[in-house]
């Protein structure tokens, strides 16, 4: 992973989801998850968990030691996935991060101590 990586999740040659990560410019051991998305009909069936797991395994194998992301404070489903299932930790609440009224939670995963 030189600057970033895009992962695709396919089922029978049809794209069902993707995740996008970029490497920190000032810290090559840091990756930011820019986006993760799963097609509506595949949500709630484990596709997102599988996609995130495979993405993180690849990043860990390629010397990424910290993964960060932001999530909408009202998206409890995503928070459950990131924090409860994968071990991301809350770092800070960012008010108006994406514009007025668009707050975000900033989360971090220490890959060196991560137990998949």
């Amino acid at each position: 992973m030189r600057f970033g990586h895009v992962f695709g999740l396919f089922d029978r040659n049809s794209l069902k989801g993707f995740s996008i990560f970029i490497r920190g410019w000032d810290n090559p051991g840091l990756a930011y998850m820019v986006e993760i998305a799963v097609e509506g009909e595949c949500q709630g069936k484990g596709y997102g968990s599988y996609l995130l797991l495979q993405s993180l395994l690849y990043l860990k194998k390629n010397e990424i030691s910290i993964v960060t992301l932001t999530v909408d404070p009202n998206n409890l489903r995503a928070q459950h996935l990131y924090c409860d299932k994968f071990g991301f930790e809350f770092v800070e609440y960012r008010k108006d991060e994406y514009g007025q009224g668009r707050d975000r939670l900033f989360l971090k995963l220490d890959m060196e101590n991560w137990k998949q």
Side-chain angles (χ1 to χ4, degrees), residues 14-115:
S14 176
L15 181 66
K16 299 297 182 184
F18 64 89
S19 60
I20 303 170
F21 295 82
I22 58 170
R23 180 170 260 172
W25 291 108
D26 58 347
N27 180 354
L30 172 70
Y32 299 95
M33 187 172 79
V34 177
E35 182 76 43
I36 187 167
V38 174
E39 190 175 275
E41 70 183 34
C42 297
Q43 292 179 4
K45 298 178 181 177
Y47 283 75
S49 294
Y50 180 79
L51 174 59
L52 183 56
L53 174 63
Q54 295 306 313
S55 301
L56 293 173
L57 289 171
Y58 177 89
L59 296 174
K60 184 171 183 169
K61 188 169 108 175
N62 285 275
E63 301 177 1
I64 297 298
S65 57
I66 296 173
V67 175
T68 62
L69 59 88
T70 66
V71 64
D72 185 321
N74 298 315
N75 190 341
L76 301 179
R77 190 171 171 184
Q79 289 177 53
H80 172 69
L81 174 69
Y82 300 138
C83 298
D84 300 335
K85 289 189 175 184
F86 285 92
F88 280 82
E89 296 178 350
F90 172 80
V91 176
E92 68 180 295
Y93 187 94
R94 294 182 173 177
K95 184 152 182 60
D96 300 329
E97 178 75 359
Y98 291 168
Q100 187 174 8
R102 298 185 64 201
D103 302 345
R104 303 297 282 184
L105 301 179
F106 184 73
L107 307 178
K108 177 176 98 171
L109 179 63
D110 178 354
M111 298 291 282
E112 293 178 5
N113 297 314
W114 178 53
K115 300 197 179 16

